[in-house]
Structures are given as C-alpha cells and as structure tokens.
C-alpha cells in the first residue's frame, strides 16, 4: 500500500511529495519536529506534543503553520488514510523558503513548511525490546546548548546510535561536565533502593512529554522521585534503569558501559511504569 503523507495543505502519495531545495529545513536544519504515538488507532499525549511544538516554534521565532485543532485533524486523517493501529506520526515544521539560500532569516511573511507522515509499527506496545531491556554506552555530549527545543539537528544523536551499535549495544547516554544529560532520543533515569533519579528540566535536556506523564504516574503510585544531576558511575551502581520517549514509552535499561544492572533483566519499577503508562495513555488517547 502506498503511504499517504501531508505536505503544506495536501494529502499526497509519498512518491509525489516535494519541498523546495531551498527549504531552510534542508539547508540549515532550521526546523522543529514532534513524534506522536498511535495505539488502537488513537493518538497518545497529543495535547502535550502540540503545546511543546508551539514552545519550540516560539523559541526560534518561527511562525506556526496552523492551529492545534487543524493539526489534530491532520493527524487523525493520516492515521485513518494509512490504516495505523499501532505506529507513529512524525511532524516537521521548517522556516520555509524564499527561493534562495541565505543565513539571514527570510522575511516574516514567508510561509513555513509543514510536513507529516506516518510509520506503521505493529507490536509497538508489546515490544520484544522492552521485554529484553536495552544496553547503553556513555559518550560525550557535544550538542548545541538548547536541547530543550526539539529541532531536527539530530546528526550527533544519530552518530551516538551508531557508536552504540558498533559496540554491540542499543543506545547511548550523553555525558556533559561529568553528568548524564539524556539518551540520544530519550530521557534517562536510574533506580536505587526504590528511588527514581533523573536530571531536572533545563535547557540541557528535552522536556519530554512522556517524561512528564511517567513522573506524574510514578508520583501517583507513591514512588519516590529525585530530580538532580547524576553521574554515569552512579547509574552503573543502580538496581535498574530506564528511558522514556514517545516512540518507546518506558524502555528498561539492563546494562551501562558493559556493567550489568541487577540480574540483567528489566527491573520491577521500569516494568510497572511501562504498564501503567500504557494503560493510562490508552484511556486518554484521542
């Protein structure tokens, strides 16, 4: 089946989709994005993603291409047209193009580009990877300083994924000034003596939508949470660890830099948080 995508007001077969070669998303990575999961044909945490998108656009002085209501309609139509029961909807907004390349932003009346596409991911909720747990390595964090803005500047995180793959692992945790910031595409946590430890929000990490939901659910479940800086050495001594993201929900971590955590299987807190996150998210899905 040919996938239907959305490009600047049109629903098109993916083979017919086009943007200008002068689009600033292509030339300068001058663009932001969001990823919304789909379970049972419905969108997970859509409001949170829409709010964060607006914040990213505002931080970059970029125009919003449409209202939240219009964005929801586009998401729902793409899910329907592509028959997505479990999967993802990717959205990207760029500063657009005024027909040439220039470091200076185009005039304010230049329309932004809006592109959305779906990915069909059967078994997203019952992921074998989550049942096995992930192995991670640590690498230096050399990204730009505004990681709170969800831009498409993803080259170094992609390189980090490849470093992990080369090492026979699944992902990498980024370390700056001796402290873990986050994973390449997720927020990072460890658990020691029943306490969940994660880095506090700042410009240094992405303000994860799944992070916010999971921490709220953990608090409601009477779990102890501490938001503070932590080192990779602390994480290696943990009883268990995990990451959160829109595309993987709660992913247990069973090894860090070759050091096995616990008995080398997903820990009870990570498994419980994944369970309650999926349960609650499905109830509130749109």
């Amino acid at each position: 089946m040919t996938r239907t995508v959305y490009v600047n007001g049109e629903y098109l077969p993916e083979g017919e989709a086009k943007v200008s070669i002068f689009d600033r998303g292509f030339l300068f990575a001058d663009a932001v994005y969001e990823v919304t999961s789909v379970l049972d044909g419905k969108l997970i945490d859509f409001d949170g993603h829409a709010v964060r998108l607006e914040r990213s656009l505002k931080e970059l002085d970029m125009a919003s291409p449409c209202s939240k209501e219009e964005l929801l309609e586009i998401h729902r139509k793409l899910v329907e047209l592509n028959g997505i029961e479990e999967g993802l909807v990717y959205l990207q907004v760029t500063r657009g193009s005024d027909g040439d390349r220039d470091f200076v932003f185009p005039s304010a009346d230049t329309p932004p580009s809006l592109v959305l596409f779906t990915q069909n991911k059967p078994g997203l909720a019952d992921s074998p990877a989550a049942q096995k747990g992930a192995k991670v390595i640590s690498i230096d964090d050399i990204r730009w300083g505004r990681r709170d803005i969800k831009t498409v500047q993803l080259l170094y995180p992609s390189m980090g994924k490849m470093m992990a793959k080369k090492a026979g692992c699944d992902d990498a945790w980024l370390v700056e000034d001796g402290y873990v910031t986050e994973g390449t595409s997720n927020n990072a946590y460890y658990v020691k003596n029943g306490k969940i430890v994660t880095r506090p929000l700042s410009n240094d990490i992405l303000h994860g939508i799944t992070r916010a939901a999971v921490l709220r659910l953990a608090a409601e479940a009477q779990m102890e949470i501490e938001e503070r800086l932590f080192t990779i050495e602390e994480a290696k001594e943990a009883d268990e660890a995990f990451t959160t993201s829109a595309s993987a929900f709660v992913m247990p971590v069973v090894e860090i830099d070759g050091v096995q955590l616990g008995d080398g299987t997903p820990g009870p807190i990570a498994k419980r948080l994944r369970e309650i996150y999926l349960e609650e998210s499905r109830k509130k899905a749109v």
Side-chain angles (χ1 to χ4, degrees):
M1 183 176 107
T2 300
R3 178 167 45 175
T4 298
V5 301
Y6 178 94
V7 181
N8 294 328
E10 294 186 275
Y11 294 90
L12 301 164
E14 60 181 300
E16 297 178 17
K18 298 177 183 178
V19 293
S20 169
I21 63 166
F22 299 113
D23 189 281
R24 290 182 61 88
F26 172 65
L27 295 178
F28 295 101
D30 189 359
V32 299
Y33 80 105
E34 286 290 337
V35 187
T36 303
S37 290
V38 178
L39 293 177
D40 310 317
K42 294 183 178 181
L43 300 162
I44 302 298
D45 284 333
F46 175 80
D47 281 345
H49 289 290
V51 169
R52 186 173 61 184
L53 174 64
E54 283 300 315
R55 179 183 182 277
S56 293
L57 292 170
K58 184 178 180 181
E59 290 295 309
L60 296 178
D61 195 24
M62 195 181 297
S64 179
C66 62
S67 69
K68 186 175 83 169
E69 292 72 25
E70 290 170 326
L71 208 54
L72 176 57
E73 182 181 345
I74 296 167
H75 276 72
R76 282 175 164 166
K77 187 165 183 178
L78 281 178
V79 168
E80 179 185 354
L81 289 172
N82 292 293
I84 306 296
E85 283 298 312
E86 289 194 347
L88 306 167
V89 182
Y90 282 84
L91 168 160
Q92 184 165 308
V93 182
T94 86
R95 205 179 300 273
S97 167
D98 61 0
D100 212 336
R101 185 186 189 277
D102 196 330
F103 274 84
V104 176
F105 289 175
S107 62
D109 60 355
T110 301
S113 291
L114 174 61
V115 174
L116 290 92
F117 62 89
T118 60
Q119 287 185 344
N120 190 34
K121 298 277 188 178
L124 188 65
D126 298 321
S127 166
Q131 296 170 22
K132 179 182 178 183
K135 297 179 180 181
V136 304
I137 61 170
S138 61
I139 62 174
D140 289 337
D141 194 343
I142 58 173
R143 299 170 298 164
W144 83 313
R146 292 301 307 274
R147 298 127 191 191
D148 56 307
I149 305 172
K150 196 171 177 67
T151 72
V152 300
Q153 300 177 49
L154 298 172
L155 178 57
Y156 187 65
S158 180
M159 291 173 69
K161 294 275 192 190
M162 296 308 296
M163 291 180 212
K165 184 176 180 180
K166 186 176 181 180
C169 294
D170 306 292
D171 201 2
W173 280 11
L174 307 169
V175 179
E176 182 176 57
D177 298 328
Y179 297 102
V180 175
T181 49
E182 56 193 343
T184 58
S185 58
N186 43 59
N187 292 119
Y189 315 71
Y190 79 83
V191 181
K192 186 70 174 180
N193 297 325
K195 180 191 293 184
I196 300 168
V197 179
T198 192
R199 191 180 179 109
L201 294 179
S202 69
N203 290 351
D204 297 329
I205 66 170
L206 183 67
H207 298 193
I209 304 306
T210 308
R211 175 191 186 277
V214 167
L215 289 181
R216 174 179 56 81
L217 291 168
E220 291 174 359
Q222 306 297 307
M223 296 180 184
E224 188 178 359
I225 302 163
E226 184 177 6
E227 295 185 65
R228 64 167 175 83
L229 302 185
F230 66 91
T231 67
I232 200 73
E233 293 305 319
E234 287 180 85
K236 289 179 187 178
E237 295 174 359
D239 300 321
E240 59 176 294
F242 61 93
T243 61
T244 60
S245 66
S247 58
F249 312 124
V250 179
M251 177 61 65
V253 171
V254 297
E255 181 183 294
I256 301 175
D257 284 340
V259 176
Q260 178 180 291
L261 305 186
D263 64 1
T265 63
I269 288 181
K271 289 195 292 186
R272 179 57 182 153
L273 285 173
R274 182 180 178 88
E275 181 181 90
I276 59 178
Y277 174 76
L278 287 170
E279 181 181 332
E280 292 301 312
S281 294
R282 279 180 153 133
K283 288 179 184 177
K284 297 178 180 179
V286 297

